[in-house]
Amino acid sequence: MCESFHYSVPEEKKSGSLVANVLKDLKVGVKELSARRAQLISESHNQYFQLDPQSGNVLLQKRIDREALCGQKDTCVLAAEIVLENPLQVHRIEVEIEDVNDNSPQFPKNEFLLNIPEQTALNTRFPLESAKDADRGENSVQNYTLSLNNHFGLDVQSHSDGSKHVELVLQKQLDREEETRLSLILSAVDGGTPIRTGTANIIIDVLDTNDNPPQFPQSLYKVKLKENSHPRTLVTKVEATDRDLGPNAEVTYSFNQISDTVLRSFALNKHTGELTVAGAIDYEEERNYAINIKATDGGGLSAYCKVMVEVEDRNDNAPEISDVNDNAPVFEKSSYEMQLQENNIPGLLIGLVHAKDLDMEQNGKVTYSLLPGKVRDQPVSSYVSINSETGNLYAIRSLDYEQIKDFQVTVRAVDSGSPPLSSEVVVRVVIMDENDNVPFILYPLQNGTSPSNDLVPRGAETGYLVTKVVAVDRDSGQNSWLSYELLKATEPGLFSVGVQNGEVKSMRPISKRDNFKQKLIIGVKDNGHPPQSTSATLSILLVDGFSDPYMKSVDVPKDEMVQDEDQALTMYLVICLAVISVIFLVSMVGFVAIKIQKRRKFVASSALNFPVGPNFPESCGDVDAGSLSRAYNYEVCLAGGSLNSEFKYLRPLFPVFSMEPAQNPGIQRISTDFQEVSSHAAEGQLMSQGIMSGMKKKPVELNTYVKEKPVELNTHVKEKPVELNTHVKEKPVELNTHEDALY
């Protein structure tokens, strides 16, 4: 152990301030200081100073509050050791913390209430509770002043320990009948620069005739008390007497102007005046206690005494073992993921990162910082910030989910050891979507121009697909789920809209009474909370002269790509359809052949000479069987992605019959029954011509495949003849009812 050095530094200096340079005192150079691995080790738990081995400067490591560190001690000294190696030398340094005037005088309470009887003798003194100033020396309380009044003056006395004792002195006799209450202002002034002042109100109630205050046999009591004394141990007993009688002679005791430490450590019996131990008595924490006790009689007069308690030391502390910073901070998780709702308020707390350090005291104190980085070409510090003490992450700006879905930052944890150790962790911030976007109408366009008109034939049946409203939402999840509803219509009940797909369909057949122009307002709403909505306006014209197939025939784009699975399904359906069609055609050929054979036998047996016209097929029918020989086929249209076959339109297998009169005179001998069949055939021809209008003349021999088995449209009746085209009553049957796909 070598010689010690003494330095001083004012309190409240900033961290990093210079305390002293020890090169001269240590008598070493900078290189030798560094080579001998100089270290500064504090003797206290907190490391207030650090040594710069490159310059020999002793620097403040953190701000020092003298009052918090040393309380009311006259001198405040922090001790440390400078250790040099090769050879080992230990130099003790003592740094005195100098007081600055950073505290104002304060009274223990804002208002003092004094009960002073009338007839109190002049020059009677009333001790007042002194003001406390956490500063020391000239910066502490130096004087007291009293507001101007007619009865009282102020006497300030200084004690050997530098404290001030203030007393209120009665200078003019009190008369309760003239004035029952006095209000004074007591001011305490310190000697610092600038001067600081504290005030308190003194309320004096004038009482009647209690002219004898309590008296203590001595004003100062000195006692010794061993540390670690058990609670309820008697320290001393104070006792005051009063020469008055009755209630005016009943004395009660109370603490007067004491510190919080005294209040935690001692208790006073207000009736007996016994002072006992109430809390822990530790010599290392406090060696002396000054306890002011007030005795008050029943009339309000008081007397004061002071008890000085000296604490005796006991061997109750074991030697302590100067921790080494050999552990780096460790985060609780290997990585963090935090969630942040979009459109957040700037400054909002995102989450918390926390790292632990197994070292003790300063070596285990962890601070946090963000490593430099970029998010969308901007510094990460413009997005988030971190509290260096707590590890709380805060959002700097309001974020938009549609612009940025997530980002990540790197947080570093550093301890306060020498040299410091650190660790890092990655924090991923996920932006949560909020329903902040209104649905957008893609079709029909709502851009302020003249809306397009959708044409609907007046012959449209129930369920006719008029158009489809298409909308999108920039949000995600359920915030982008859209639903459609009909808000307003020219003819309520004529049209409806699909809740999920936005398809506009007719709800009933269109009548002539319906207006030519129809206007619909379709509402589109998302599934967010709260929901966002918009609307689309549709204009529909009810027109005549358009057939249903014409209205629904739309060219398929050449560049439309069919998915592999749809092509495979279509191929399988076509193969099945072809096979079943072949089987059906073979069956029909066989059936027609049998019928022709039967007819020839019938003609031969009846000796009828009935020629067949050029437009009348031989397989026109069998009168005996009553069956129809006219088979009807259908064209099949499979929409892309559809799993069901669709009918396009109906047309007959054979050309239209011609009912021209036969040139052979033998035809006049046709029997009455056959004429009836011919009349039915003629009626069927007329109906067939209605179906064939606007269509090609050649037959289409493609049998329809519906639900895995052929459809037999020839109704075979055994006993009675069947009218041709019995399935058509008044108008052609439109089998092309297609709601989704466009042909």
Side-chain angles (χ1 to χ4, degrees), residues 561-577 638-643:
M561 301 300 295
V562 182
Q563 299 294 331
D564 292 341
E565 60 270 18
D566 292 341
Q567 292 179 347
L569 178 61
T570 303
M571 181 181 67
Y572 296 150
L573 290 177
V574 170
I575 293 174
C576 294
L577 185 62
L638 296 178
S642 173
L643 296 180

Side-chain angles (χ1 to χ4, degrees), residues 278-313:
I281 305 298
D282 190 352
Y283 175 84
E284 286 72 29
E285 292 293 335
E286 197 73 35
R287 301 182 181 183
N288 294 282
Y289 295 93
I291 306 173
N292 296 320
I293 297 178
K294 175 182 178 181
T296 306
D297 63 17
L301 297 179
S302 302
Y304 302 85
C305 72
K306 179 179 288 187
V307 178
M308 297 298 297
V309 180
E310 180 182 354
V311 180
E312 295 180 343
D313 186 31

Side-chain angles (χ1 to χ4, degrees), residues 117-331:
E118 64 180 350
Q119 306 300 329
T120 299
L122 296 179
N123 296 323
T124 300
R125 296 174 177 269
F126 302 94
L128 299 176
E129 296 187 28
S130 303
K132 293 181 180 180
D133 194 328
D135 298 322
R136 302 294 297 171
E138 292 296 325
N139 295 327
S140 63
V141 177
Q142 298 298 315
N143 197 13
Y144 292 86
T145 60
L146 187 66
S147 60
L148 188 62
N149 66 93
N150 296 325
H151 294 276
F152 293 94
L154 203 62
D155 185 20
V156 180
Q157 299 178 0
S158 299
H159 295 288
S160 58
D161 59 357
S163 63
K164 305 291 183 182
H165 182 67
V166 59
E167 293 181 330
L168 199 63
V169 181
L170 182 62
Q171 297 176 342
K172 182 180 178 181
Q173 194 72 47
L174 294 174
D175 189 354
R176 180 182 175 276
E177 284 69 27
E178 291 182 0
E179 195 171 20
T180 60
R181 170 169 283 197
L182 299 177
S183 180
L184 308 176
I185 298 178
L186 178 63
S187 300
V189 182
D190 66 15
T193 303
I195 295 175
R196 294 176 177 265
T197 304
T199 61
N201 293 328
I202 300 177
I203 305 299
I204 300 175
D205 288 332
V206 182
L207 304 178
D208 280 330
T209 338
N210 179 33
D211 53 356
N212 290 293
Q215 296 290 331
F216 283 102
Q218 59 191 73
S219 60
L220 181 63
Y221 294 82
K222 292 184 178 181
V223 294
K224 292 185 178 181
L225 180 65
K226 292 184 179 181
E227 72 169 326
N228 300 329
S229 295
H230 296 291
R232 298 185 181 180
T233 300
L234 180 64
V235 179
T236 188
K237 180 178 181 181
V238 296
E239 186 174 3
T241 59
D242 194 312
R243 292 186 298 172
D244 294 324
L245 297 174
N248 292 330
E250 295 178 358
V251 178
T252 57
Y253 303 90
S254 62
F255 287 126
N256 179 57
Q257 191 181 349
I258 61 172
S259 63
D260 294 337
T261 305
V262 172
L263 193 60
R264 290 193 301 266
S265 302
F266 299 95
L268 179 65
N269 189 312
K270 67 177 183 178
H271 299 294
T272 63
E274 292 180 344
L275 184 67
T276 57
V277 175
I281 305 298
D282 190 352
Y283 175 84
E284 286 72 29
E285 292 293 335
E286 197 73 35
R287 301 182 181 183
N288 294 282
Y289 295 93
I291 306 173
N292 296 320
I293 297 178
K294 175 182 178 181
T296 306
D297 63 17
L301 297 179
S302 302
Y304 302 85
C305 72
K306 179 179 288 187
V307 178
M308 297 298 297
V309 180
E310 180 182 354
V311 180
E312 295 180 343
D313 186 31
R314 297 183 67 179
N315 188 22
D316 59 345
N317 292 289
E320 294 184 0
I321 299 176
S322 177
D323 183 43
V324 175
N325 189 30
D326 56 349
N327 291 282
V330 178
F331 284 95

Side-chain angles (χ1 to χ4, degrees), residues 469-485:
V469 178
V470 182
V472 294
D473 196 309
R474 293 182 61 195
D475 295 317
S476 66
Q478 67 175 12
N479 294 332
S480 63
W481 299 350
L482 302 181
S483 60
Y484 304 81
E485 62 175 331

